[in-house]
Amino acid sequence: MDSNVNPAHQTSEDNVTPQDYLRQIKENYPDLKHSLELNVFQGVDGEEKTITVEDLIKKKENAFYFKNNKNSTFKFARNVASVKIMIEHCENCKFLLQGPILTTVVEIWRCDNTKVLVDTQVNTLQVDLNNNLEITYKHKKFLGSLVQAGIHGLSIKFEDHPELDFESGYDVLVKETPEINDQTDQFITRFVEGELLTEEIIRYADGYHTTEREKAARDDELIKNASKEEEKVREMLKFSQPVMDKVAEDKKNEKANVELEKKSNLKKAAGNKQLTKGNLEEAIKSYGEAMTFTPDNHVLYSNRAQAYIQQEKFVEALADVDKCIELSPAFTKAYYRRGVILTSLDRIEEAVAALQEAHDLAPRDEEIEKLLAETKTKLK
């Protein structure tokens, strides 16, 4: 899955120059190194601009970078070809994207009240840390994938299929997946076998990106391939029966674990929905059932703890977050919830310690920082 995050989107860009982005594009596309020109539109306020071929340097490949623009409209003529389009820190602006995009990549980050009409193929539209962003596709075929993180207020529309229009963004997604972080966790929207799906992106330690659905399919395929290889080896080497029995048992267990994870994910999703609706007992029950399939899944304990917190059953909640921390010592949300629980139990010093741990793990999380400061004032 191609969903690489531009690290600059997650940090302050005050010191990032257009030349930095030009250098980054050249590194990613070395074939364009000597022919790439970056066209910068910066500080435009209250204007309507149409970008035509006359505006471009001939015999150059052109990328476009829009930054710190307000109350303006930018339109690409259909005969304007671009390498890549980047939109940063724009406010109350509209963009009409037409004409071919060589990389089929568009990035939009840290914009407010921005509207984008996509009338060309965009295989990767990455949107990070925006407020009130509206994306309209002229045709649904132009949606390759939309990758989002930290969006508050995201509308996705299709002019040719308005029945597919939907609202997304952190405030919607957190209802389905309560444990997500609005600064870093990514979701991908695309058509899968004709159905429009939005799924959370999972990152492996080696940088590989996937989703739970793709991971399960990949695991199934690996098991099938392993079984085929096992048959070949059986014929070639004529393994002794005890060894073959052991191999078969291992494969059987591996397949069983994949099935258990699938069942656990279904129960977890049910618990998340019940938690969102305020059906706390049902949520607790669903999380417990999920644990019977994957007892070492730390997120289940964290989510069930949240349900107990809402019931004000703080002793039960504390046991769950402690189990979560035991299973995943770097899980920020567990320390945050531990701080909330211990505050409610009037164990303020322990609460401060837990919140400090959460702050150390996520130093830019404003909610954690605020609660930590408030809790410190309660120290005697």
Side-chain angles (χ1 to χ4, degrees):
M1 175 187 297
D2 182 11
S3 58
N4 295 322
V5 185
N6 187 334
H9 297 187
Q10 306 295 338
T11 60
S12 173
E13 289 92 3
D14 293 341
N15 297 322
V16 181
T17 67
Q19 289 71 30
D20 294 325
Y21 286 113
L22 179 61
R23 184 165 53 253
Q24 183 185 79
I25 296 172
K26 288 182 176 180
E27 289 174 355
N28 291 336
Y29 306 98
D31 292 343
L32 304 175
K33 184 175 182 179
H34 300 294
S35 63
L36 185 63
E37 180 72 20
L38 183 63
N39 299 268
V40 181
F41 294 82
Q42 187 168 1
V44 179
D45 192 351
E47 298 184 32
E48 292 189 10
K49 287 185 174 290
T50 299
I51 302 164
T52 67
V53 291
E54 286 76 18
D55 300 320
L56 309 179
I57 298 177
K58 294 181 179 180
K59 297 183 180 180
K60 288 281 189 179
E61 302 288 353
N62 291 273
F64 294 87
Y65 178 36
F66 301 86
K67 183 175 182 179
N68 293 336
N69 302 302
K70 296 181 179 180
N71 311 308
S72 297
T73 299
F74 300 90
K75 177 182 177 181
F76 285 80
R78 291 190 180 277
N79 62 345
V80 171
S82 58
V83 174
K84 184 177 182 179
I85 298 172
M86 299 173 292
I87 304 171
E88 174 192 4
H89 269 305
C90 291
E91 181 179 345
N92 297 320
C93 288
K94 297 179 181 178
F95 295 86
L96 172 54
L97 309 184
Q98 300 179 120
I101 303 173
L102 181 61
T103 63
T104 67
V105 174
V106 176
E107 297 180 8
I108 306 170
W109 70 103
R110 297 185 182 276
C111 293
D112 294 320
N113 303 315
T114 298
K115 295 183 178 181
V116 180
L117 176 60
V118 180
D119 194 7
T120 186
Q121 187 63 42
V122 177
N123 288 344
T124 302
L125 175 54
Q126 183 157 335
V127 293
D128 296 330
L129 309 176
N130 298 282
N131 293 311
N132 299 321
L133 178 64
E134 181 179 294
I135 306 293
T136 301
Y137 290 90
K138 190 75 174 178
H139 302 284
K140 73 172 188 177
K141 65 182 180 181
F142 291 148
L143 168 62
S145 66
L146 186 151
V147 180
Q148 61 168 298
I151 307 294
H152 289 271
L154 174 61
S155 296
I156 302 173
K157 300 181 178 182
F158 301 87
E159 285 195 356
D160 60 337
H161 285 278
E163 73 278 5
L164 296 176
D165 296 355
F166 70 101
E167 299 296 314
S168 189
Y170 174 79
D171 301 304
V172 173
L173 296 170
V174 75
K175 294 178 181 178
E176 293 287 332
T177 315
E179 68 273 14
I180 63 173
N181 183 298
D182 70 340
Q183 297 291 308
T184 57
D185 287 338
Q186 286 188 303
F187 287 77
I188 184 169
T189 297
R190 58 195 164 170
F191 287 99
V192 179
E193 297 181 354
E195 183 180 357
L196 189 60
L197 294 181
T198 297
E199 304 170 280
E200 185 175 4
I201 294 174
I202 302 170
R203 300 176 185 83
Y204 288 96
D206 61 1
Y208 181 77
H209 295 69
T210 187
T211 65
E212 285 190 358
R213 174 184 55 80
E214 291 170 317
K215 179 178 180 296
R218 185 185 182 209
D219 289 343
D220 283 342
E221 187 64 26
L222 289 173
I223 291 171
K224 290 177 183 177
N225 290 339
S227 296
K228 292 177 181 178
E229 290 299 318
E230 177 187 320
E231 289 299 323
K232 291 180 181 178
V233 172
R234 186 197 296 265
E235 290 298 320
M236 292 173 61
L237 302 180
K238 298 185 183 301
F239 280 161
S240 64
Q241 191 60 43
V243 174
M244 290 307 301
D245 288 345
K246 178 63 167 61
V247 171
E249 183 65 23
D250 289 345
K251 297 304 178 184
K252 181 179 178 181
N253 291 338
E254 185 177 354
K255 186 173 183 179
N257 288 337
V258 171
E259 290 300 319
L260 289 174
E261 187 172 348
K262 287 182 181 180
K263 292 178 181 179
S264 177
N265 287 337
L266 289 174
K267 291 296 182 180
K268 174 189 168 187
N272 290 345
K273 288 184 178 180
Q274 295 300 333
L275 184 62
T276 301
K277 294 177 181 179
N279 299 330
L280 303 179
E281 285 297 336
E282 289 299 316
I284 290 168
K285 179 182 177 183
S286 293
Y287 292 135
E289 290 172 346
M291 290 172 191
T292 64
F293 300 117
T294 55
D296 293 334
N297 186 334
H298 65 281
V299 175
L300 297 175
Y301 293 94
S302 177
N303 288 5
R304 190 171 70 175
Q306 180 59 30
Y308 280 134
I309 290 172
Q310 292 178 221
Q311 286 187 327
E312 299 186 357
K313 293 182 177 179
F314 299 115
V315 174
E316 292 89 341
L318 183 60
D320 270 0
V321 294
D322 285 347
K323 181 64 175 178
C324 177
I325 291 170
E326 176 188 332
L327 293 170
S328 181
F331 190 59
T332 306
K333 194 172 289 280
Y335 293 100
Y336 175 83
R337 287 178 174 161
R338 194 171 198 275
V340 171
I341 295 164
L342 291 168
T343 300
S344 299
L345 293 172
D346 201 28
R347 293 161 59 177
I348 305 303
E349 288 188 7
E350 294 175 79
V352 169
L355 292 169
Q356 185 63 58
E357 190 73 32
H359 184 264
D360 291 344
L361 289 168
R364 295 185 180 180
D365 192 306
E366 295 179 358
E367 185 178 353
I368 293 174
E369 186 175 9
K370 180 181 178 181
L371 184 59
L372 175 59
E374 290 176 354
T375 307
K376 283 182 176 179
T377 64
K378 299 177 182 179
L379 287 170
K380 297 179 182 178

